[in-house]
Amino acid sequence: MDNITERTLSKVPEVTLIFWIIKIAATTLGETGGDTVSMSMNLGYLVGTAIFAAIFLVAVAAQIKAKGFHPFLYWTTIIATTTVGTTLADFADRSLGIGYTGGASLLFCLLMASLAIWYILLGSVSVDTVSSPKVEIFYWITIMFSQTLGTALGDWTASTAGLGYRGGAIIFSVLLGVVIVAYYWTKISRTLLFWAAFILTRPLGAVVGDFLDKPLNAGGLALSRYFASAALFAFMLTCILIFKQRAAEKAH
């Protein structure tokens, strides 16, 4: 009975292979979806950020109010964080003129500050502890910063570092591979490895998303942003429907 109660109270999914597959799809969708609104619809980064920020706030409020883990609500909130992260990072990097390096540096500091304050106030940044409104607020703020950082980092790798979208995808895939190796063959903190993987999946999704919809002369496939976003959404929906996710057990 205790285990059932603990599981019911948990508000995040169990971290499994399907979790990471859906997460990468969501981050890629965040890039194509964010670009669809800001570029294809010509609404601009500021308006796009305002739209997605509103969706993000509503989704987080619903997530916090929910009594337990609900897959569709959880992944809707993740998509909201990654789309607002895309437009917000693009607004900071391009509209504010601080560049990819400045944007990535600023967002990295904000992410580290969020994790540090979370740890100092509550004693842990493990996702196993995400079961109360206070922890959830830190969880979603940290995720939002990580998603925004991922966009800036992906752009920096592809453009400033000159690696292109394919090169960026290879780099972040290799880094994720290092995290996987560390998970199975070292005793490094599982919480540290989780956040490392969570952060790295976002720039991977960013460069893959750009690769899908950027023009051929820019190194992309020139796919329609609408089509790419719809295909990624359909893939996510299929995964959620087929692979039933369980709530993670609350840490004792």
Side-chain angles (χ1 to χ4, degrees):
M1 177 65 71
D2 289 340
N3 286 339
I4 294 175
T5 302
E6 298 277 7
R7 242 177 228 162
T8 302
L9 291 175
S10 182
K11 305 293 286 292
V12 298
E14 187 178 27
V15 180
T16 61
L17 176 60
I18 194 62
F19 171 88
W20 293 114
I21 290 173
I22 298 175
K23 169 62 166 61
I24 292 172
T27 59
T28 309
L29 172 58
E31 190 70 20
T32 60
D35 287 347
T36 296
V37 171
S38 62
M39 297 180 187
S40 296
M41 293 182 180
N42 294 315
L43 295 180
Y45 301 126
L46 186 58
V47 174
T49 298
I51 292 171
F52 290 125
I55 296 172
F56 167 67
L57 291 173
V58 171
V60 169
Q63 177 72 22
I64 292 174
K65 188 176 180 180
K67 299 300 183 183
F69 168 63
H70 301 283
F72 288 104
L73 177 57
Y74 177 84
W75 288 110
T76 296
T77 312
I78 288 290
I79 293 172
T81 65
T82 194
T83 47
V84 73
T86 296
T87 54
L88 182 58
D90 287 342
F91 176 73
D93 296 343
R94 300 166 189 174
S95 298
L96 294 183
I98 62 177
Y100 298 133
T101 303
S105 300
L106 173 63
L107 289 162
F108 178 78
C109 291
L110 290 172
L111 174 60
M112 291 300 105
S114 177
L115 285 168
I117 294 170
W118 180 1
Y119 183 81
I120 291 169
L121 293 180
L122 299 176
S124 174
V125 295
S126 172
V127 295
D128 294 336
T129 65
V130 182
S131 58
S132 69
K134 184 181 291 187
V135 181
E136 281 190 272
I137 289 171
F138 276 110
Y139 177 76
W140 289 112
I141 289 174
T142 301
I143 284 179
M144 195 270 287
F145 281 145
S146 77
Q147 306 282 42
T148 310
L149 169 63
T151 299
L153 234 127
D155 288 340
W156 180 87
T157 303
S159 301
T160 305
L163 295 177
Y165 305 125
R166 295 181 186 180
I170 292 172
I171 289 293
F172 292 118
S173 295
V174 169
L175 290 174
L176 279 170
V178 171
V179 173
I180 292 171
V181 169
Y183 179 85
Y184 285 106
W185 284 284
T186 75
K187 295 182 179 180
I188 295 175
S189 165
R190 295 307 186 246
T191 298
L192 175 62
L193 292 176
F194 169 84
W195 284 112
F198 200 95
I199 292 166
L200 286 171
T201 53
R202 179 61 186 105
L204 174 60
V207 292
V208 171
D210 282 338
F211 174 67
L212 292 175
D213 64 30
K214 287 297 187 283
L216 294 173
N217 59 10
L221 294 179
L223 296 178
S224 162
R225 293 189 181 103
Y226 295 100
F227 171 78
S229 299
L232 288 163
F233 179 77
F235 174 76
M236 282 187 65
L237 184 61
T238 301
C239 287
I240 294 170
L241 289 172
I242 293 177
F243 302 99
K244 302 301 181 183
Q245 293 178 286
R246 299 183 304 174
E249 290 189 44
K250 179 184 171 184
H252 295 281

